[in-house]
Amino acid sequence: MFEISVLASGSSGNAVLVRGDETAILIDAGLSARRLTESLAACGVSWDGVQGVLITHEHVDHTRALANVSRNRTLSIYANRMTADALRKKIPEARWNFFSNNSPFAVGGFEVEAFHVPHDAAAPVGFVIRSDGVSFTLATDLGYVPPHIVKAASGASAVMVESNHDADLLQNDPKRPPSVKERIRSKHGHLSNDEAGAFLKQIATPALRHVLLAHLSEDCNSPGLATDTARRHLEQAGCGHVTIACPGSGPLPHRVVL
Ligand SMILES: [Zn+2]
Ligand SMILES: [Zn+2]
């Protein structure tokens, strides 16, 4: 079994549960502890059944529940050292497991590998999670797609990637000052729909079955625009068979089985 359940996605919070036959891991914990516990319960999982929480980066929309849940000393928190340093004051009691980027490590029955993503945090990462010949790549906060991320995601069975904004809607947004628009478009900001689509076109192989579009802007994007753009690029790559979803915009948890 390889099951991905998106518990939350977007600026209000991010958390993804990945389950195998004997392992459940959480990627990020960006909801309140109460909501996260409820979301896990909706998937039939209690904290005792979670072998580890993998942290992409220290921003609060990815770590909101950590201070609370890390008081449970049996829960392992996986992060690279710089991200852990950025979080240490907030969560002094955590039971840390440090990983190095690009060095695979095991969490229960999963093999996990972290890779650097360009984002405005201490040492932000995305993850590849592998088990039984299938793999899931997650890259949810990134300003652009460097070649090593294309390599990390190529051949994946499922990909969760940021598809933050429609370039025209952002350009014409009357509420955001030019400096904010510049930050979003910068190399440490967020991916547009077209950038996410171009990435998908590069990594799509016949093995790819599911695309999850993450971190959609509420006012500079829509699920329809993001999905249509991704679909167009995937069809150009000969991968019209892939299912595409925007989990933050529909009922949660959103579940995908590989
Ligand atoms: Zn962030
Ligand atoms: Zn984020």
Side-chain angles (χ1 to χ4, degrees):
M1 177 177 84
F2 196 124
E3 186 183 277
I4 302 157
S5 300
V6 180
L7 308 182
S9 174
S11 45
S12 57
N14 296 277
V16 177
L17 175 71
V18 182
R19 272 205 284 183
D21 287 326
E22 77 265 33
T23 310
I25 55 181
L26 201 54
I27 306 176
D28 287 336
L31 296 171
S32 71
R34 188 177 59 81
R35 272 191 60 207
L36 190 52
T37 303
E38 286 168 3
S39 300
L40 285 172
C43 299
V45 175
S46 69
W47 282 107
D48 290 342
V50 176
Q51 275 85 348
V53 183
L54 310 177
I55 305 299
T56 59
H57 65 294
E58 70 274 18
H59 289 166
V60 67
D61 58 319
H62 298 258
T63 58
R64 192 169 278 119
L66 270 192
N68 189 310
V69 302
S70 64
R71 286 193 205 112
N72 171 355
R73 296 289 291 172
T74 59
L75 184 67
S76 295
I77 313 289
Y78 291 79
N80 62 31
R81 281 186 184 272
M82 284 174 75
T83 297
D85 285 346
L87 284 164
R88 223 180 278 274
K89 267 205 193 100
K90 201 166 113 179
I91 45 171
E93 296 163 285
R95 177 173 152 183
W96 292 106
N97 283 258
F98 299 117
F99 60 72
S100 300
N101 292 358
N102 312 313
S103 294
F105 56 99
V107 183
F110 286 118
E111 182 188 85
V112 181
E113 186 170 348
F115 55 88
H116 169 77
V117 296
H119 184 55
D120 55 359
V125 298
F127 292 106
V128 182
I129 299 178
R130 305 183 185 96
S131 173
D132 295 329
V134 291
S135 69
F136 169 49
T137 299
L138 174 140
T140 53
D141 290 66
L142 65 170
Y144 73 107
V145 183
H148 75 269
I149 298 184
V150 174
K151 202 167 153 225
S154 291
S157 325
V159 173
M160 184 159 176
V161 65
E162 161 167 59
S163 191
N164 179 257
H165 58 275
D166 174 87
D168 291 335
L169 288 181
L170 179 64
Q171 175 65 30
N172 299 325
D173 177 21
K175 283 185 293 188
R176 288 179 171 79
S179 60
V180 172
K181 293 181 186 182
E182 268 322 299
R183 198 221 134 223
I184 292 170
R185 281 193 287 247
S186 77
K187 286 200 152 187
H188 290 86
H190 294 284
L191 286 191
S192 70
N193 292 343
D194 282 321
E195 288 167 329
F199 165 66
L200 291 170
K201 189 157 89 180
Q202 279 181 284
I203 60 115
T205 69
L208 183 62
R209 289 168 52 198
H210 299 283
V211 165
L212 299 163
L213 300 176
H215 243 296
L216 268 67
S217 163
E218 274 169 29
D219 41 5
C220 290
N221 208 352
S222 73
L225 276 173
T227 305
D228 287 351
T229 309
R231 167 84 51 221
R232 197 171 66 243
H233 283 87
L234 285 167
E235 280 171 358
Q236 286 167 10
C239 287
H241 64 278
V242 174
T243 68
I244 304 170
C246 303
S249 316
L252 292 169
H254 179 94
R255 204 162 60 107
V256 158
V257 179
L258 298 180

